[in-house]
Amino acid sequence: MKWVIGVSTLLVAVAAAGVAKMAKGKSAKPSSTDVMKAVSYEKHGAVATDVLKFTDDYPKPIPGRNQVLVQIKASSVNPVDFKLRRNSVPSFMLPKPKIPGADLAGIIVECPSSSSTQFQVGDRVAAMIPLTGSRWGSNAEYVAVDTSLLAKIPDNVSFESAAAVPLVSLTVMQSLNKLKKKPQPKKILIHAGAGGVGSFAIQYAKHVLGMETVATTASKEKADYLKQLGADVVIDYHTEDFTAIVQDYDVVLDPMSFLYETKTLKSNVLNKKGHYLNIMSSDWGLTEDGKEKSYGAITGWHYIKHKTMNLLTRGWFVPNYDFCIVKPNGEHLQTVMDLLGNNTIQPVIDSKFPLSKLADAHAHLEGGHVTGKTLTIHRSRWPVPNPFAPPEIPSYYVFNHFMGKREVVGRFLFPQCFIIFGFARFYLQSCDVDRMLIELLIVLEALLVPAAAY
């Protein structure tokens, strides 16, 4: 069999397989009786709808040693998901049938006594699970997760927000951890700032690392939004040359090295003590014969050249160069969850798809120009609540979101208003309507029902 795969994608797969092999827990086994909803593929293919199949009778995983069973409420799609799907990856790296997906947020429903003292049934958790080395993934109703990969979700963070960040946040954190602490970097260029990695990196560099100047490349239409996230300079890649605008920077974080690597390293974008961080990736497009475009040979040459020159000259003549390959890590992810909980960083969500429409989510992301993350929601219909219970997202939180505030605003409810709005929510949710209509109803309730601050 002839395997067709981009060099960068293969390196990511090999590294991910190594991470999976080093996992502490014993791999989950499929149940012979219990089933679940899941999306999987048994063969690779360039067209998502041809290979991704949704089923409601996929074997449910049985947690292994040091694992818990998580009922997934939301997951997200990353470019590596469709790259692994459309490239022929060896079976020992990607066992079939394969459930794609690495990011997840959900609730622990089984926690063997031998697995953990830190987590228990009912905990709200998020995780990034290994990309390869296992048939299991996050695009399913349940998944068994090593406890070392879990992070607890703060009470004020939704499942959707938590599911949007694991892989991209760990990519950014682990990449920027490669930087030298002294002298502390002050200026960074982040390519593709509107993407999943870029939108998180802008916020992390500005609000967590405290960098003085954060520049990024993006389309003109997205400039204002990226500046709200923390970008100081937004370069329109359609009409402007970033090498003419960005000079003498300390760091370049590049998730699209197949486009920007050579131009960056041949220009004065980085100072001689700077650091080029290449987030391993391959071109999203395919060649005319359907193969993955690869930049591997040129990337390899740049890496060897810069590492050799830095070793011989102690970094006086060329910037440092590092590859960045993400590794699942629950401790690192807990730091991210805490940043979400205290509103230091906001997840950027582009669109949401039901789990059964994962193929459409893949196609949407492959189309490019997505702002932030693409999510999959793991429920066939909206839950039917008690009409007299508070809404799933309390109106005072939604109201304050629109008002640009975070403190909780109380409300005094007239009984008749409470009953009317309660039954309205009950009807809309039971009819499986779009979530936006329900949120608009909650906002309307917050505006019409008298409210006062606690």
Side-chain angles (χ1 to χ4, degrees), residues 73-223:
K73 299 296 185 180
S75 60
S76 65
V77 182
N78 295 288
V80 69
D81 295 330
F82 67 72
K83 290 178 181 181
L84 290 173
R85 183 211 77 223
R86 70 189 187 183
N87 288 286
S88 293
V89 182
S91 295
F92 72 90
M93 293 183 186
L94 209 66
K96 311 296 189 304
K98 170 63 180 175
I99 299 174
D103 292 339
L104 66 97
I107 300 174
I108 295 177
V109 293
E110 288 184 26
C111 185
S113 58
S114 60
S115 294
S116 174
T117 56
Q118 181 182 0
F119 299 97
Q120 59 186 1
V121 172
D123 283 348
R124 303 168 72 246
V125 293
M128 174 196 165
I129 58 179
L131 292 163
T132 59
S134 169
R135 63 181 290 186
W136 307 104
S138 63
N139 295 135
E141 195 174 1
Y142 297 92
V143 70
V145 184
D146 290 1
T147 55
S148 63
L149 308 182
L150 292 171
K152 292 185 178 179
I153 303 174
D155 292 339
N156 63 329
V157 177
S158 69
F159 288 120
E160 295 174 6
S161 295
V165 298
L167 185 145
V168 296
S169 64
L170 293 178
T171 298
V172 171
M173 289 180 63
Q174 293 169 9
S175 299
L176 295 179
N177 281 344
K178 295 177 180 290
L179 300 177
K180 294 179 180 179
K181 304 302 180 185
K182 294 183 180 180
Q184 184 174 354
K186 296 181 179 180
K187 298 191 294 183
I188 185 172
L189 168 63
I190 300 166
H191 284 301
V197 169
S199 59
F200 185 91
I202 289 171
Q203 298 179 79
Y204 190 81
K206 193 68 175 180
H207 304 310
V208 179
L209 298 184
M211 292 197 179
E212 294 179 3
T213 305
V214 177
T216 190
T217 55
S219 62
K220 182 179 180 180
E221 295 76 20
K222 299 176 181 179

Side-chain angles (χ1 to χ4, degrees), residues 324-380:
C324 306
I325 299 176
V326 64
K327 299 180 178 115
N329 186 302
E331 184 178 350
H332 292 172
L333 187 57
Q334 189 61 63
T335 300
V336 175
M337 290 297 115
D338 294 340
L339 291 173
L340 296 186
N342 60 29
N343 299 308
T344 300
I345 289 180
Q346 301 295 325
V348 180
I349 298 173
D350 175 89
S351 51
K352 305 173 187 178
F353 293 81
L355 177 61
S356 60
K357 299 295 183 181
L358 179 64
D360 293 341
H362 272 225
H364 175 71
L365 185 58
E366 286 182 86
H369 308 293
V370 171
T371 303
K373 293 302 296 293
T374 300
L375 300 187
T376 51
I377 309 303
H378 293 226
R379 56 190 177 201
S380 58

Side-chain angles (χ1 to χ4, degrees), residues 253-286:
L253 183 67
D254 191 354
M256 300 185 74
S257 58
F258 52 88
L259 287 179
Y260 299 119
E261 179 178 354
T262 298
K263 288 186 68 174
T264 299
L265 296 176
K266 285 187 174 181
S267 65
N268 294 321
V269 169
L270 281 167
N271 58 48
K272 300 306 181 185
K273 287 285 188 178
H275 208 133
Y276 179 76
L277 299 172
N278 181 354
I279 298 174
M280 293 293 291
S281 64
S282 55
D283 198 329
W284 287 25
L286 298 173

